[in-house]
Amino acid sequence: MNSVRYDSQGSMYQAANMSAPTPNDNTPSSSAASQRTAALRIDPAMKTVQTASTAKRRWQWLAAVVVFLLVATALVLKPSVIAVSTATVSKLSPTVELVTLTSSGYLVAQRRASLASKASGRLVYLAVREGSRVKEGDLLARLDARDVAAQFAAATSQIEVAKGVLAQAQAELTDARGN
């Protein structure tokens, strides 16, 4: 009678010619023991078949571990979301971009209006477009007032200096009359 056995590593092998003890076989004999020992030997052909199956299982486990590691690495190295802002782009002529007009004098419209400024300066705000209708008193443009403000501050300080000089001169005159 052939029976299937497993070794300590889980590999299956077939024990050949192993017979169960009979009730009348109460005397141990060396030939019976040697037959039983021979029956317990591992068949090399069965061992290689089972080793191939075990190797296949090992490769399957190894492949599963590699796939798991690849997925884990992909999740860890996943690029973060980058915020993107959008803007409207318009094409300008290169000459329009580089032109700066510096001028002193009067600003003259092409049609029915003439403008003049008492102070010269850089135009920082233009409230109307060409062809716009305007009323008397409407703000048309604004000049950069930093130069005018600096001139005003200088004139104010000169007035204060002149007042100080006048007060000193009057004090000296009073002293001269008193002596």
Side-chain angles (χ1 to χ4, degrees), residues 15 21 69-70 114 120 139:
L69 290 175
L70 287 174
S114 67
S120 64
L139 177 67

Side-chain angles (χ1 to χ4, degrees), residues 99-112:
V99 171
T100 301
L101 178 63
T102 305
S103 173
S104 63
Y106 295 99
L107 178 65
V108 180
Q110 290 182 352
R111 216 179 336 160
R112 291 187 282 159

Side-chain angles (χ1 to χ4, degrees), residues 35-158:
Q35 285 179 354
R36 285 188 185 133
T37 304
L40 292 176
R41 287 192 182 149
I42 298 173
D43 183 17
M46 289 297 290
K47 180 71 175 174
T48 41
V49 169
Q50 295 308 316
T51 303
S53 173
T54 305
K56 184 177 177 183
R57 269 191 242 129
R58 284 183 186 158
W59 278 107
Q60 288 172 347
W61 275 105
L62 181 64
V65 168
V66 167
V67 167
F68 175 77
L69 290 175
L70 287 174
V71 169
T73 303
L75 289 175
V76 169
L77 298 179
K78 179 180 171 184
S80 61
V81 177
I82 299 172
V84 176
S85 61
T86 60
T88 305
V89 178
S90 62
K91 186 176 180 182
L92 290 176
S93 170
T95 57
V96 171
E97 190 175 314
L98 301 175
V99 171
T100 301
L101 178 63
T102 305
S103 173
S104 63
Y106 295 99
L107 178 65
V108 180
Q110 290 182 352
R111 216 179 336 160
R112 291 187 282 159
S114 67
L115 298 175
S117 172
K118 292 182 181 178
S120 64
R122 184 172 179 213
L123 185 67
V124 292
Y125 175 71
L126 183 62
V128 295
R129 292 179 161 247
E130 183 179 340
S132 299
R133 294 189 184 265
V134 293
K135 297 179 215 162
E136 186 178 338
D138 286 349
L139 177 67
L140 302 178
R142 185 174 297 139
L143 296 176
D144 185 12
R146 288 184 285 182
D147 294 334
V148 175
Q151 289 174 358
F152 178 74
T156 304
S157 65
Q158 287 176 357

